[in-house]
């Protein structure tokens, strides 16, 4: 038998084979934020409006780790997507560091020893630019520290690669996450897809 997920039509699959399949799509239970909704594919989409997006019912006992894909991120001005665990950006427990490399190979970095969010390094520089990236969360539902790794694109032609790593220094179990934007800007659009894996 072929190694999953290379299945054939009519093939009977065992529980062990199905559990071995990598990523599983997650549809959140609800979202809140101006212009936010869950589409027919289970993706969270924002068509316009606010600077905040709360996604509920994402993390559970079903999966240990999570992959979040962000695409079509546009904003009313230059901004970066920020991620907080829970339903708001509060506290000072998000610790992170980011590095970015220009197309000329110049390396720069930034970080925070205690913030209310992770800066996910997914950046747009103007109202017409579109950006995307990947966020991987480790153990957000478990009552242990949550780790995060983000890879993002910067729409500025001079800065090509962006990478951020961080830890949430508490033992809280989370079921939701909160996205906000850096600066006094709002989402023009964004699509966020959630996947779980063990």
């Amino acid at each position: 038998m072929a190694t999953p997920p290379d299945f054939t039509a009519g093939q009977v699959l065992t529980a062990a084979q199905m559990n071995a399949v990598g990523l599983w799509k997650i549809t959140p239970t609800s979202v809140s934020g101006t212009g936010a909704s869950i589409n027919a594919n289970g993706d969270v989409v924002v068509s316009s409006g606010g600077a905040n997006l709360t996604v509920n019912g994402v993390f559970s006992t079903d999966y240990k780790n999570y992959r979040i894909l962000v695409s079509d991120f546009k904003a009313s001005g230059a901004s970066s997507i920020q991620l907080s665990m829970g339903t708001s950006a509060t506290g000072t427990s998000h610790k992170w560091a980011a590095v970015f490399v220009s197309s000329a190979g110049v390396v720069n970095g930034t970080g925070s020893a205690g913030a209310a969010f992770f800066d996910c390094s997914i950046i747009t520089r103007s109202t017409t630019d579109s950006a995307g990236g990947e966020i991987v969360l480790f153990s957000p539902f478990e009552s242990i520290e949550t780790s995060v790794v983000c890879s993002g694109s910067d729409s500025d032609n001079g800065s090509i690669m962006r990478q951020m790593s961080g830890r949430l220094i508490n033992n809280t179990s989370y079921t939701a996450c909160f996205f906000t934007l850096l600066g006094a800007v709002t989402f023009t659009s964004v699509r966020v897809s959630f996947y779980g894996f063990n």
Side-chain angles (χ1 to χ4, degrees), residues 111-159:
S112 176
F117 58 84
F118 297 117
D119 190 321
C120 293
S121 293
I122 303 170
I123 295 175
T124 183
R125 298 286 178 176
S126 75
T127 58
T128 58
D129 289 335
S130 178
E134 175 186 45
I135 304 165
V136 181
L137 291 169
F138 303 94
S139 308
F141 183 77
E142 296 181 82
S143 297
I144 60 176
E145 292 183 1
T146 300
S147 298
V148 62
V149 176
C150 300
S151 299
S153 64
D154 186 333
S155 63
D156 178 8
N157 288 333
S159 182

Side-chain angles (χ1 to χ4, degrees), residues 160-174:
I160 302 301
M161 188 282 290
R162 301 186 71 90
Q163 183 81 32
M164 187 278 291
S165 296
R167 293 184 69 82
L168 180 55
I169 311 300
N170 65 37
N171 295 326
T172 303
S173 173
Y174 294 97

Side-chain angles (χ1 to χ4, degrees), residues 31-187:
V31 296
S32 62
T34 304
S37 63
I38 301 172
N39 69 14
N41 295 321
D43 298 325
V44 174
V45 293
V46 176
S47 56
S48 65
N52 300 327
L53 171 65
T54 303
V55 184
N56 299 300
V58 177
F59 313 124
S60 69
T61 57
D62 291 342
Y63 307 104
K64 183 177 179 69
N65 307 309
Y66 296 83
R67 183 181 186 199
I68 304 171
L69 301 181
V70 177
S71 59
D72 193 32
F73 166 47
K74 296 179 182 178
S76 62
S79 190
S80 175
I81 291 181
Q82 300 171 335
L83 169 68
S84 303
M85 301 309 299
T87 57
S88 64
T90 59
T92 59
S93 297
H94 295 75
K95 299 179 185 295
W96 56 271
V99 63
F100 37 101
V101 183
S102 74
S103 56
V106 178
V107 179
N108 288 294
T110 187
S112 176
F117 58 84
F118 297 117
D119 190 321
C120 293
S121 293
I122 303 170
I123 295 175
T124 183
R125 298 286 178 176
S126 75
T127 58
T128 58
D129 289 335
S130 178
E134 175 186 45
I135 304 165
V136 181
L137 291 169
F138 303 94
S139 308
F141 183 77
E142 296 181 82
S143 297
I144 60 176
E145 292 183 1
T146 300
S147 298
V148 62
V149 176
C150 300
S151 299
S153 64
D154 186 333
S155 63
D156 178 8
N157 288 333
S159 182
I160 302 301
M161 188 282 290
R162 301 186 71 90
Q163 183 81 32
M164 187 278 291
S165 296
R167 293 184 69 82
L168 180 55
I169 311 300
N170 65 37
N171 295 326
T172 303
S173 173
Y174 294 97
T175 60
C177 60
F178 178 81
F179 296 91
T180 189
L181 297 179
L182 180 65
V185 299
T186 58
F187 284 107

